[in-house]
Amino acid sequence: PDGTHRIFHSEGAATVDASGRVVQLHGTLQDVTEQRAAEAALRLTEMRYREAQRLAKIGNWEWDLTTNTSWWSEELYRILEEDSSTYAATFENFLAKVHPQDRQVLIDGQKTIAVGSNAYAPTESRLVFPDGRQKRIEQLIEARVDGGGKPSPIVGSVHDITERRALEGKLTESEARYASTVELAAVGIAHVAGDGRFIWCNTRFHEMLGYDYDELLERTIKDVSHPDDADLAVRDRSRMHEGTL
């Protein structure tokens, strides 16, 4: 009467007489509105969970010690580039994907079951694919315990950090090139703090001024300026830090 929509599930059967004629219909009618709403909410949660794993490139797995069976998430299969319908979720199959030089630490870790949130240190491994490509992954592992305090399932996450490691490598190379260029430059280069103290300089700079590197870091820009120019150096330095010069 109030316009509210509800969902009902019905089941029924017919009673027939000796001649096969239907003489009675009977059945049940069940209100499943809340059940269907809960199912829809669960599907939405699972979809968001899968999407979050895909975007973060984090898969997870579970190893049941009681049944010795394993489960892998969709994202873990995606990271391993395998089909869940044909590739069994086993430690041996996972290990087959790992670079031979990185396998032993995983094998040793599987032999020892430790309890506690920090019992296992993060492990970084390389995955190798048939075409020669490699991925870098980071694993976090934790053993859950049952009511008696005994380890039950072992759970873990696998994070694809290939892009992060590549960016870190490029950054390291860039910093190395910058440091080399600055150090070998024919001109003096220095970094000066807000109070005028030297905090870094290249070799050419302290050689031009006639100081050792450590000795120069104990001085200010005013200390190394000609008395007639000291005030000007301080003024220009302040303007540079303010961005007005």
Side-chain angles (χ1 to χ4, degrees):
D2 59 0
T4 302
H5 292 271
R6 305 200 67 81
I7 302 173
F8 293 91
H9 173 76
S10 63
E11 292 185 6
T15 300
V16 298
D17 58 17
S19 65
R21 183 171 60 89
V22 176
V23 296
Q24 185 180 27
L25 293 175
H26 51 88
T28 61
L29 189 65
Q30 181 183 6
D31 186 343
V32 295
T33 305
E34 294 183 0
Q35 178 183 334
R36 291 292 183 268
E39 291 172 351
L42 179 60
R43 287 194 296 270
L44 180 60
T45 299
E46 291 176 342
M47 181 190 71
R48 289 172 175 170
Y49 170 74
R50 291 193 297 269
E51 189 69 5
Q53 285 208 334
R54 184 185 66 80
L55 293 174
K57 295 186 176 181
I58 298 178
N60 65 302
W61 53 266
E62 182 174 312
W63 175 30
D64 190 326
L65 299 178
T66 304
T67 61
N68 194 30
T69 56
S70 298
W71 168 87
W72 294 352
S73 70
E74 289 184 11
E75 184 57 25
L76 178 51
Y77 272 106
R78 189 177 291 110
I79 291 172
L80 298 177
E81 299 183 11
E82 291 291 349
D83 187 342
S84 60
S85 64
T86 58
Y87 201 76
T90 66
F91 177 72
E92 291 72 22
N93 277 349
F94 179 83
L95 203 63
K97 292 288 186 177
V98 176
H99 192 288
Q101 295 178 357
D102 298 339
R103 291 175 183 173
Q104 192 59 49
V105 66
L106 301 181
I107 294 172
D108 293 341
Q110 193 211 25
K111 293 178 181 178
T112 305
I113 305 301
V115 176
S117 58
N118 298 317
Y120 295 92
T123 303
E124 188 170 322
S125 309
R126 291 165 292 176
L127 301 179
V128 182
F129 296 90
D131 59 4
R133 288 180 301 110
Q134 291 190 10
K135 290 181 181 179
R136 284 200 173 262
I137 59 171
E138 181 181 64
Q139 287 199 81
L140 298 176
I141 302 173
E142 182 176 326
R144 294 175 179 167
V145 295
D146 59 20
K150 296 181 179 180
S152 180
I154 308 296
V155 297
S157 65
V158 176
H159 187 189
D160 184 350
I161 58 172
T162 307
E163 293 182 2
R164 189 178 81 189
R165 285 290 179 261
L167 289 174
E168 289 173 350
K170 290 180 181 179
L171 178 60
T172 300
E173 292 176 3
S174 177
E175 290 175 340
R177 286 195 298 268
Y178 171 77
S180 176
T181 300
V182 169
E183 184 59 32
L184 298 176
V187 297
I189 302 173
H191 293 170
V192 181
D195 59 1
R197 290 180 300 103
F198 290 103
I199 55 178
W200 175 87
C201 70
N202 67 350
T203 301
R204 182 59 179 157
F205 187 84
H206 68 77
E207 287 180 345
M208 289 170 58
L209 296 180
Y211 292 95
D212 291 334
Y213 179 80
D214 292 335
E215 186 181 9
L216 186 61
L217 295 189
E218 296 176 355
R219 286 168 168 74
T220 68
I221 193 169
K222 186 175 182 179
D223 294 334
V224 301
S225 299
H226 190 281
D228 294 342
D229 300 329
D231 292 337
L232 180 63
V234 172
R235 185 197 65 189
D236 288 346
R237 174 183 54 78
S238 298
R239 292 175 61 193
M240 288 180 65
H241 278 281
E242 293 169 358
T244 58
L245 180 63

